Short mmCIF file of all heavy atoms in Angstrom, two decimals:
data_model
loop_
_atom_site.label_atom_id
_atom_site.label_comp_id
_atom_site.label_asym_id
_atom_site.label_seq_id
_atom_site.Cartn_x
_atom_site.Cartn_y
_atom_site.Cartn_z
N ILE A 482 -9.52 2.18 -0.35
CA ILE A 482 -8.99 3.29 -1.15
C ILE A 482 -9.50 4.63 -0.61
O ILE A 482 -8.76 5.59 -0.47
CB ILE A 482 -9.40 3.13 -2.64
CG1 ILE A 482 -8.77 1.86 -3.22
CG2 ILE A 482 -8.98 4.35 -3.45
CD1 ILE A 482 -9.34 1.45 -4.57
N LEU A 483 -10.81 4.66 -0.30
CA LEU A 483 -11.43 5.93 0.10
C LEU A 483 -11.40 6.17 1.60
O LEU A 483 -11.88 7.20 2.07
CB LEU A 483 -12.89 5.96 -0.38
CG LEU A 483 -13.14 5.82 -1.89
CD1 LEU A 483 -14.65 5.86 -2.17
CD2 LEU A 483 -12.45 6.94 -2.65
N ARG A 484 -10.88 5.21 2.36
CA ARG A 484 -10.90 5.28 3.83
C ARG A 484 -12.33 5.39 4.34
O ARG A 484 -12.65 6.26 5.14
CB ARG A 484 -10.11 6.51 4.33
CG ARG A 484 -8.65 6.51 3.97
CD ARG A 484 -8.03 7.85 4.27
NE ARG A 484 -6.63 7.88 3.87
CZ ARG A 484 -5.63 7.49 4.65
NH1 ARG A 484 -5.84 7.08 5.88
NH2 ARG A 484 -4.39 7.53 4.20
N ARG A 485 -13.18 4.55 3.84
CA ARG A 485 -14.56 4.55 4.32
C ARG A 485 -14.93 3.17 4.83
O ARG A 485 -14.12 2.25 4.75
CB ARG A 485 -15.51 5.01 3.19
CG ARG A 485 -15.27 6.47 2.85
CD ARG A 485 -16.16 6.98 1.74
NE ARG A 485 -15.75 8.36 1.41
CZ ARG A 485 -16.27 9.11 0.46
NH1 ARG A 485 -17.25 8.64 -0.30
NH2 ARG A 485 -15.84 10.33 0.24
N ASP A 486 -16.17 3.01 5.33
CA ASP A 486 -16.58 1.72 5.92
C ASP A 486 -17.34 0.87 4.92
O ASP A 486 -17.94 1.39 3.99
CB ASP A 486 -17.47 1.96 7.13
CG ASP A 486 -16.69 2.61 8.26
OD1 ASP A 486 -15.48 2.31 8.37
OD2 ASP A 486 -17.28 3.42 8.99
N VAL A 487 -17.36 -0.44 5.22
CA VAL A 487 -18.16 -1.36 4.41
C VAL A 487 -19.47 -1.61 5.15
O VAL A 487 -19.48 -1.88 6.35
CB VAL A 487 -17.42 -2.69 4.21
CG1 VAL A 487 -18.31 -3.69 3.46
CG2 VAL A 487 -16.13 -2.46 3.44
N LYS A 488 -20.59 -1.45 4.42
CA LYS A 488 -21.90 -1.71 5.03
C LYS A 488 -22.41 -3.07 4.56
O LYS A 488 -22.66 -3.26 3.37
CB LYS A 488 -22.90 -0.63 4.60
CG LYS A 488 -22.52 0.77 5.08
CD LYS A 488 -23.50 1.82 4.57
CE LYS A 488 -23.20 2.24 3.14
NZ LYS A 488 -24.05 3.31 2.63
N TRP A 489 -22.54 -3.99 5.47
CA TRP A 489 -23.04 -5.32 5.11
C TRP A 489 -24.56 -5.30 5.08
O TRP A 489 -25.19 -4.55 5.82
CB TRP A 489 -22.57 -6.35 6.14
CG TRP A 489 -21.19 -6.86 5.85
CD1 TRP A 489 -20.03 -6.17 6.01
CD2 TRP A 489 -20.86 -8.14 5.33
NE1 TRP A 489 -18.97 -6.94 5.62
CE2 TRP A 489 -19.44 -8.17 5.19
CE3 TRP A 489 -21.59 -9.27 4.96
CZ2 TRP A 489 -18.77 -9.28 4.71
CZ3 TRP A 489 -20.92 -10.37 4.48
CH2 TRP A 489 -19.52 -10.39 4.35
N PRO A 490 -25.16 -6.15 4.25
CA PRO A 490 -26.63 -6.24 4.27
C PRO A 490 -27.07 -6.81 5.62
O PRO A 490 -26.39 -7.68 6.17
CB PRO A 490 -26.97 -7.21 3.14
CG PRO A 490 -25.70 -7.68 2.56
CD PRO A 490 -24.55 -7.08 3.31
N THR A 491 -28.18 -6.33 6.14
CA THR A 491 -28.68 -6.92 7.39
C THR A 491 -29.65 -8.04 7.05
O THR A 491 -30.50 -7.90 6.17
CB THR A 491 -29.40 -5.87 8.25
OG1 THR A 491 -30.12 -5.02 7.37
CG2 THR A 491 -28.42 -5.07 9.08
N ILE A 492 -29.43 -9.15 7.70
CA ILE A 492 -30.29 -10.31 7.42
C ILE A 492 -31.26 -10.48 8.60
O ILE A 492 -30.85 -10.88 9.68
CB ILE A 492 -29.47 -11.58 7.19
CG1 ILE A 492 -28.49 -11.34 6.03
CG2 ILE A 492 -30.37 -12.77 6.93
CD1 ILE A 492 -27.56 -12.49 5.76
N GLU A 493 -32.47 -10.09 8.36
CA GLU A 493 -33.49 -10.28 9.40
C GLU A 493 -34.57 -11.15 8.80
O GLU A 493 -35.12 -10.84 7.76
CB GLU A 493 -34.10 -8.93 9.81
CG GLU A 493 -33.20 -8.11 10.69
CD GLU A 493 -33.69 -6.68 10.82
OE1 GLU A 493 -34.75 -6.36 10.25
OE2 GLU A 493 -33.00 -5.90 11.49
N LYS A 494 -34.82 -12.26 9.46
CA LYS A 494 -35.83 -13.13 8.88
C LYS A 494 -36.52 -13.94 9.96
O LYS A 494 -35.98 -14.16 11.05
CB LYS A 494 -35.20 -14.05 7.83
CG LYS A 494 -34.10 -14.95 8.38
CD LYS A 494 -33.50 -15.76 7.26
CE LYS A 494 -32.64 -16.92 7.74
NZ LYS A 494 -31.59 -16.58 8.66
N GLU A 495 -37.70 -14.37 9.63
CA GLU A 495 -38.44 -15.25 10.56
C GLU A 495 -38.35 -16.65 10.03
O GLU A 495 -38.40 -16.85 8.82
CB GLU A 495 -39.91 -14.84 10.61
CG GLU A 495 -40.16 -13.66 11.51
CD GLU A 495 -41.64 -13.26 11.45
OE1 GLU A 495 -42.49 -14.17 11.25
OE2 GLU A 495 -41.91 -12.06 11.58
N GLU A 496 -38.21 -17.60 10.93
CA GLU A 496 -38.20 -18.99 10.46
C GLU A 496 -39.41 -19.70 11.02
O GLU A 496 -39.87 -19.41 12.13
CB GLU A 496 -36.90 -19.67 10.90
CG GLU A 496 -35.70 -19.08 10.17
CD GLU A 496 -34.43 -19.89 10.34
OE1 GLU A 496 -34.39 -20.76 11.23
OE2 GLU A 496 -33.48 -19.66 9.57
N ALA A 497 -39.91 -20.63 10.26
CA ALA A 497 -41.07 -21.40 10.70
C ALA A 497 -40.62 -22.40 11.77
O ALA A 497 -39.43 -22.61 11.99
CB ALA A 497 -41.67 -22.15 9.51
N SER A 498 -41.58 -23.01 12.40
CA SER A 498 -41.21 -23.98 13.43
C SER A 498 -40.79 -25.30 12.81
O SER A 498 -40.02 -26.06 13.37
CB SER A 498 -42.39 -24.19 14.38
OG SER A 498 -43.52 -24.56 13.61
N GLU A 499 -41.29 -25.53 11.61
CA GLU A 499 -40.90 -26.75 10.91
C GLU A 499 -39.39 -26.72 10.67
O GLU A 499 -38.85 -25.68 10.33
CB GLU A 499 -41.61 -26.80 9.56
CG GLU A 499 -42.55 -27.96 9.43
CD GLU A 499 -43.24 -27.94 8.07
OE1 GLU A 499 -43.66 -26.84 7.62
OE2 GLU A 499 -43.33 -29.00 7.47
N LYS A 500 -38.72 -27.85 10.80
CA LYS A 500 -37.27 -27.85 10.66
C LYS A 500 -36.85 -28.28 9.26
O LYS A 500 -37.44 -29.18 8.67
CB LYS A 500 -36.67 -28.84 11.67
CG LYS A 500 -36.72 -28.36 13.10
CD LYS A 500 -35.84 -29.29 13.96
CE LYS A 500 -35.65 -28.75 15.34
NZ LYS A 500 -36.72 -29.16 16.27
N ALA A 501 -35.82 -27.65 8.78
CA ALA A 501 -35.27 -28.04 7.48
C ALA A 501 -34.88 -29.51 7.50
O ALA A 501 -35.06 -30.24 6.52
CB ALA A 501 -34.06 -27.17 7.15
N SER A 502 -34.36 -29.94 8.63
CA SER A 502 -33.87 -31.32 8.72
C SER A 502 -35.01 -32.34 8.63
O SER A 502 -34.78 -33.52 8.41
CB SER A 502 -33.06 -31.51 10.00
OG SER A 502 -33.85 -31.11 11.11
N ASP A 503 -36.26 -31.88 8.81
CA ASP A 503 -37.38 -32.81 8.61
C ASP A 503 -37.60 -33.08 7.12
O ASP A 503 -38.26 -34.03 6.73
CB ASP A 503 -38.67 -32.21 9.18
CG ASP A 503 -38.59 -32.06 10.70
OD1 ASP A 503 -37.75 -32.78 11.31
OD2 ASP A 503 -39.33 -31.21 11.25
N TYR A 504 -37.09 -32.18 6.29
CA TYR A 504 -37.32 -32.30 4.85
C TYR A 504 -36.18 -32.98 4.11
O TYR A 504 -36.41 -33.67 3.13
CB TYR A 504 -37.50 -30.89 4.24
CG TYR A 504 -38.92 -30.35 4.36
CD1 TYR A 504 -39.49 -30.13 5.61
CD2 TYR A 504 -39.67 -30.06 3.22
CE1 TYR A 504 -40.77 -29.62 5.71
CE2 TYR A 504 -40.96 -29.56 3.31
CZ TYR A 504 -41.51 -29.34 4.57
OH TYR A 504 -42.76 -28.85 4.66
N ILE A 505 -34.99 -32.74 4.62
CA ILE A 505 -33.86 -33.19 3.81
C ILE A 505 -32.68 -33.60 4.70
O ILE A 505 -32.53 -33.09 5.82
CB ILE A 505 -33.42 -32.04 2.83
CG1 ILE A 505 -32.46 -32.54 1.74
CG2 ILE A 505 -32.79 -30.87 3.58
CD1 ILE A 505 -33.17 -33.20 0.61
N SER A 506 -31.90 -34.53 4.18
CA SER A 506 -30.64 -34.86 4.87
C SER A 506 -29.49 -34.64 3.88
O SER A 506 -29.69 -34.69 2.66
CB SER A 506 -30.66 -36.31 5.35
OG SER A 506 -30.57 -37.17 4.25
N VAL A 507 -28.32 -34.38 4.43
CA VAL A 507 -27.16 -34.12 3.58
C VAL A 507 -26.06 -35.08 3.95
O VAL A 507 -25.74 -35.25 5.14
CB VAL A 507 -26.66 -32.67 3.75
CG1 VAL A 507 -25.29 -32.49 3.12
CG2 VAL A 507 -27.66 -31.69 3.16
N LYS A 508 -25.51 -35.74 2.95
CA LYS A 508 -24.41 -36.65 3.22
C LYS A 508 -23.29 -36.37 2.21
O LYS A 508 -23.51 -36.45 0.99
CB LYS A 508 -24.91 -38.09 3.05
CG LYS A 508 -23.90 -39.13 3.47
CD LYS A 508 -24.57 -40.50 3.43
CE LYS A 508 -23.57 -41.60 3.27
NZ LYS A 508 -24.18 -42.79 2.67
N VAL A 509 -22.12 -35.98 2.73
CA VAL A 509 -21.00 -35.72 1.83
C VAL A 509 -20.06 -36.92 1.88
O VAL A 509 -19.54 -37.27 2.94
CB VAL A 509 -20.26 -34.43 2.23
CG1 VAL A 509 -19.03 -34.23 1.34
CG2 VAL A 509 -21.19 -33.22 2.12
N GLU A 510 -19.88 -37.55 0.73
CA GLU A 510 -18.93 -38.67 0.67
C GLU A 510 -17.56 -38.18 0.21
O GLU A 510 -16.54 -38.62 0.71
CB GLU A 510 -19.47 -39.75 -0.27
CG GLU A 510 -20.63 -40.51 0.35
CD GLU A 510 -21.28 -41.50 -0.61
OE1 GLU A 510 -20.82 -41.62 -1.78
OE2 GLU A 510 -22.25 -42.16 -0.17
#
Side-chain angles (χ1 to χ4, degrees):
Chain A
I482 296 167
L483 301 179
R484 298 169 183 272
R485 292 179 185 178
D486 293 327
V487 175
K488 297 177 278 184
W489 276 72
T491 38
I492 303 176
E493 284 168 2
K494 60 183 194 306
E495 280 177 31
E496 293 192 345
S498 54
E499 243 179 317
K500 287 191 170 88
S502 54
D503 294 339
Y504 276 62
I505 194 81
S506 71
V507 167
K508 187 173 157 204
V509 176
E510 287 174 0

